[in-house]
Amino acid sequence: MRGLDICDLPRKQLEILSILLEAAGEVVSRDEIIDSVWPDVIVEEHNLTQTVFLLRRALGRLPDGQDYIETVPKRGYRIALSALKPQAAFAPDLLPRISDAASYHDLYDTELPQSHGFGKWVRNLAWSGAGIIILAAALARHSGHLHLPRPYLVASRQVTRGGGPHRETDAPILVRDQTLFLTGQRLNQALVLKVPTVGGSLTSSALATGTGWVSSVHPTKDELLLSHSRVDGLIVTSNLAGEASQPFGYLHGHSAVWSPDGKRVAYGRERQLLVADAAGVTRALVEHLAGVALWLAWSPNGKYLRYTMQENGDKRSLHQVDVATGKVTTLFTGTQEEHHVCCGSWSPDGRYYVYLSEAPASSSIWVRREGWVGSILGNPTWNLADGPVDFWRSPVIAPDSHHLYSIGVQMRNHVVGLDAAFDSFLEDMSIDSMSISHDGKWVAYTTYPEGFLWKSRLDGTDRVRLSGPLVRVRSPQWSADDRSLIYLRAHDGDAWIIARMEAVLGSPERFIDEGTDIAAFSYSPAGNKIAFDRVNESLSAPAGISILSLGSRKVEPVPQSADLSNAKWSPDGRYLAAVAINRRELRIFDTQTQSWKTVDTADEVRAPAWDRKLDILYFVVDDEKKRLIRRYSVDTRAVADVMVLPDRYRHGHASKILEQSPEGRLLFGYSEGGSDVYDLTVELP
């Protein structure tokens, strides 16, 4: 059971789970499991690895973000000890709830919780003509005698099944005439993706704009509204295939959406929220936002706009603005969810609002009661879906109010050696970023999606987790003497900062304070400088690369780096390699001559990595339907192909991991899984 839902496991997965539960936290070897689950049949270990992977996916995660099943390197598997505790079965994140005050009784009888604002309701409602009726309802709620039928999930169905181009999971799903419209990506080309609501073949066509999102569909015309996601750009319209685009009133901004009557367009621009008429005449709804307004949604009656506020770090909050008056209201104020909610949309009748509640390693779909009934009852909320995917994205309620479409994301990142065997590195770990110590004895890595920092031997033994449950970590790097780890850290949604920790379980310390998010950094070989790039506060333009001198604490921008990111120092500290923001160009900066040189161009360039000793730069290239590894020699200024990667390493996101082992072997990261559209049948009483 997951909450009130039954998890129907295939027989092999159920047998493995039973074996591990019977062992009660003791390690069960791979051979023991294979002999028990596949008796009298010769199978490869890959069968076991894949079955455990699918079992983990079906189970989801524990409240602390850990997997139910742990891998013990070189030994086998065991059930996580925290999974054996009785309270784990009743974790709040896995149960539906009405509000933070809901009791166990509320989950089943759906009685509304007590309202802490009851006295305020009495004072306000006594002045209205309908005060007696509404007050009676409030009294019934307060006394626990008012029952409200709860929305619930009836069934789920997967609409798409992998394959095809990558789905842009931060872009909305649009519903029109039994067809779902999504935004896709193939290399650096933006696509319009279409699939029938009943399922079937996914078709794609290239956006005439080349980049951007399908952000809205006109309520009556066969037109799409195309805009950029967070970076301001020209807002255009096109046909339903994404072709023949033309500017919409020459508006410049992001996240544009049509009003329900199709006569106005709301959009964000830098830290403003604006609305324009069909002629492009614009007025500002909100002049100065604390962050950037994303994921705009009109109420069905056109009176309100709700939007997600993206602030520094991973903090997201939901806000509502009255279109007539410009009055802004913050949703979920004072609750634990205040800075962890996003990406909502209204039901067509305006009675419900569906949104996401986000945790570091997962997200869940929630629904909020709206309208006068919802207002009287304190806008109760209910959990619709937690799993089985890691993350839910882009929820939208269909016109019939009986179907909710959402993108489910389930990814695992693996690392392999780039040689004839392609053998796994740190098998069964989903690795997001990694760094091998200079002496070649240790590896520090972060896991996906949890964002935990780990340290272990290269063979996976002596593994230790170095970060806590409320801290997310990425991009660890070893100091020159291998005594410290430097990494990016964000605490519970705060901005990303550079932190430092002694490699033997020392306490982290703040390493640099620039006041804004650090997007990427590189620690110089001599240990005296850090090259980094920041997330621009307005998100409207690249922030560029800067160099911090640790002795003087002086920060200087790198010349002509405004359109570059992800800098990496060469072994001798003379050169910096960086990738263009559009990912189509790789350049090298000579710190002595203060000049840039273009190394290579391609459809997509990623993951530059220097040789551990030589001024040779390796990088990943996507070009003409193949993914390959190339290298550049600073001495000869020549680019050469190293190898073309097999097809299984070509799908999904291009890797962020390219690392060289102590013996000179390249290690490459690839992803398995992906994002698919799900049809959730819901009952919204």
Side-chain angles (χ1 to χ4, degrees):
M1 302 289 290
R2 179 185 289 106
L4 302 178
D5 300 322
I6 296 175
C7 302
D8 189 10
L9 296 178
R11 185 169 61 87
K12 297 296 184 186
Q13 295 180 32
L14 190 59
E15 290 178 3
I16 292 176
L17 180 59
S18 299
I19 291 169
L20 297 177
L21 286 171
E22 288 174 2
E26 296 296 324
V27 178
V28 183
S29 72
R30 291 171 172 268
D31 289 341
E32 288 180 78
I33 297 175
I34 290 175
D35 290 343
S36 298
V37 178
W38 289 275
D40 305 320
V41 178
I42 299 176
V43 297
E44 298 180 356
E45 283 200 2
H46 172 75
N47 295 77
L48 173 59
T49 302
Q50 181 67 12
T51 306
V52 171
F53 167 76
L54 294 173
L55 176 58
R56 282 181 173 139
R57 188 161 123 181
L59 294 175
R61 282 187 170 75
L62 289 160
D64 62 1
Q66 292 279 64
D67 282 322
Y68 277 84
I69 298 173
E70 297 178 349
T71 300
V72 182
K74 304 298 182 181
R75 295 181 61 193
Y77 299 99
R78 69 182 173 198
I79 200 77
L81 294 178
S82 56
L84 300 175
K85 298 178 181 179
Q87 61 267 30
F90 299 97
D93 289 343
L94 299 181
L95 286 173
R97 77 171 188 254
I98 295 176
S99 75
D100 290 335
S103 67
Y104 179 85
H105 185 66
D106 295 328
L107 298 175
Y108 297 94
D109 286 350
T110 66
E111 295 184 10
L112 291 173
Q114 295 183 0
S115 169
H116 297 292
F118 175 69
K120 183 178 179 181
W121 275 106
V122 173
R123 290 192 301 272
N124 293 339
L125 296 176
W127 295 98
S128 71
I132 296 176
I133 298 173
I134 298 174
L135 183 59
L139 283 168
R141 174 174 68 129
H142 185 70
S143 62
H145 294 300
L146 181 63
H147 294 258
L148 182 69
R150 58 158 293 148
Y152 60 92
L153 177 65
V154 178
S156 64
R157 177 178 60 88
Q158 197 168 333
V159 178
T160 62
R161 297 205 171 264
H166 165 67
R167 283 70 143 170
E168 181 54 70
T169 56
D170 281 336
I173 297 176
L174 309 174
V175 188
R176 175 74 181 275
D177 299 332
Q178 306 302 312
T179 301
L180 302 179
F181 294 84
L182 306 90
T183 304
Q185 291 283 340
R186 182 180 287 118
L187 301 180
N188 279 313
Q189 175 65 59
L191 308 169
V192 176
L193 305 180
K194 294 188 291 184
V195 63
T197 56
V198 296
S201 299
L202 187 72
T203 60
S204 64
S205 55
L207 283 179
T209 56
T211 60
W213 279 357
V214 180
S215 58
S216 185
V217 61
H218 198 280
T220 58
K221 300 178 182 178
D222 290 339
E223 287 185 353
L224 296 173
L225 199 58
L226 310 179
S227 60
H228 288 73
S229 55
R230 307 182 185 198
V231 178
D232 292 339
L234 189 64
I235 298 171
V236 302
T237 62
S238 79
N239 58 25
L240 296 183
E243 306 163 344
S245 62
Q246 59 182 1
F248 182 88
Y250 292 95
L251 301 181
H252 195 77
H254 62 269
S255 304
V257 290
W258 264 302
S259 62
D261 60 8
K263 296 180 180 180
R264 294 170 292 175
V265 168
Y267 64 100
R269 185 172 65 202
E270 294 187 347
R271 295 201 172 201
Q272 291 181 307
L273 185 62
L274 307 106
V275 64
D277 61 20
V281 179
T282 300
R283 68 182 177 95
L285 291 177
V286 186
E287 287 280 4
H288 303 288
L289 297 168
V292 179
L294 306 172
W295 206 273
L296 278 57
W298 291 84
S299 63
N301 59 13
K303 292 183 178 180
Y304 304 101
L305 263 172
R306 283 188 180 166
Y307 56 93
T308 298
M309 180 86 77
Q310 177 70 57
E311 303 177 57
N312 284 344
D314 292 332
K315 287 185 177 179
R316 292 183 178 186
S317 53
L318 283 170
H319 303 260
Q320 175 176 289
V321 58
D322 187 311
V323 177
T325 65
K327 180 182 178 181
V328 176
T329 304
T330 302
L331 278 63
F332 304 102
T333 303
T335 69
Q336 293 181 349
E337 294 181 302
E338 181 176 0
H339 295 293
H340 300 284
V341 287
C342 81
C343 317
S345 60
W346 304 75
S347 63
D349 58 14
R351 294 189 305 132
Y352 291 94
Y353 181 78
V354 61
Y355 64 96
L356 298 179
S357 177
E358 298 189 317
S362 64
S363 68
S364 53
I365 301 176
W366 289 73
V367 64
R368 183 178 191 257
R369 189 64 163 94
E370 300 291 336
W372 70 271
V373 173
S375 179
I376 293 172
L377 301 176
N379 297 113
T381 62
W382 295 269
N383 181 213
L384 283 181
D386 284 301
V389 298
D390 287 330
F391 296 99
W392 288 109
R393 293 286 184 261
S394 313
V396 60
I397 299 175
D400 63 6
S401 293
H402 290 299
H403 293 270
L404 187 154
Y405 299 101
S406 185
I407 296 177
V409 182
Q410 186 79 42
M411 301 284 291
R412 290 294 180 271
N413 300 331
H414 306 287
V415 179
V416 295
L418 294 184
D419 49 28
F422 285 98
D423 56 320
S424 296
F425 179 78
L426 296 181
E427 188 178 13
D428 294 331
M429 299 302 298
S430 180
I431 299 176
D432 186 57
S433 57
M434 59 175 283
S435 176
I436 297 176
S437 62
H438 297 85
D439 62 13
K441 296 179 180 180
W442 295 90
V443 58
Y445 59 93
T446 60
T447 53
Y448 176 87
E450 304 89 355
F452 293 149
L453 175 64
W454 294 81
K455 180 190 76 169
S456 76
R457 302 278 183 181
L458 296 189
D459 62 1
T461 59
D462 296 335
R463 186 176 64 170
V464 179
R465 195 175 108 183
L466 302 176
S467 62
L470 297 180
V471 176
R472 300 198 71 193
V473 177
R474 69 174 190 241
S475 306
Q477 296 175 33
W478 292 89
S479 61
D481 58 7
D482 288 336
R483 292 184 178 181
S484 302
L485 282 169
I486 300 91
Y487 49 90
L488 293 178
R489 179 188 67 169
H491 183 271
D492 195 24
D494 290 338
W496 289 92
I497 64 169
I498 300 177
R500 180 175 186 153
M501 174 189 289
E502 295 302 314
V504 186
L505 293 179
S507 299
E509 61 178 342
R510 197 167 181 133
F511 205 49
I512 176 175
D513 186 0
E514 286 300 309
T516 55
D517 273 356
I518 306 295
F521 80 101
S522 180
Y523 195 42
S524 68
N528 61 341
K529 295 180 180 180
I530 289 178
F532 65 94
D533 52 280
R534 292 186 282 247
V535 175
N536 188 281
E537 288 192 0
S538 68
L539 300 176
S540 61
I545 299 170
S546 299
I547 295 178
L548 166 69
S549 297
L550 297 178
S552 63
R553 309 297 293 181
K554 185 177 181 181
V555 176
E556 294 181 315
V558 175
Q560 300 176 334
S561 68
D563 62 339
L564 299 170
S565 66
N566 197 26
K568 297 289 181 67
W569 290 101
S570 63
D572 59 7
R574 175 175 174 176
Y575 302 99
L576 276 174
V579 178
I581 295 294
N582 63 12
R583 298 173 184 165
R584 294 186 176 182
E585 189 174 357
L586 177 65
R587 301 180 205 164
I588 287 183
F589 180 71
D590 189 330
T591 59
Q592 292 185 7
T593 64
Q594 295 286 290
S595 62
W596 288 95
K597 173 180 173 55
T598 298
V599 170
D600 199 7
T601 58
D603 289 335
E604 189 159 342
V605 182
R606 286 182 184 258
W610 290 94
D611 186 278
R612 294 174 72 89
K613 297 179 181 178
L614 306 174
D615 283 342
I616 293 177
L617 182 66
Y618 296 93
F619 52 100
V620 181
V621 168
D622 281 314
D623 206 357
E624 297 179 357
K625 297 184 179 180
K626 63 178 181 290
R627 180 171 290 174
L628 63 156
I629 307 296
R630 284 181 179 160
R631 70 179 178 187
Y632 171 76
S633 171
V634 175
D635 293 336
T636 64
R637 299 186 177 182
V639 176
D641 291 349
V642 176
M643 68 181 302
V644 177
L645 294 174
D647 283 347
R648 71 169 299 188
Y649 306 126
R650 187 167 58 86
H651 300 294
H653 292 290
S655 174
K656 294 184 292 185
I657 297 177
L658 190 63
E659 183 88 3
Q660 191 179 48
S661 68
E663 66 272 17
R665 181 178 61 156
L666 287 176
L667 300 172
F668 171 76
Y670 71 99
S671 61
E672 282 187 338
S675 55
D676 282 294
V677 180
Y678 289 79
D679 174 4
L680 306 178
T681 304
V682 294
E683 187 67 35
L684 301 177

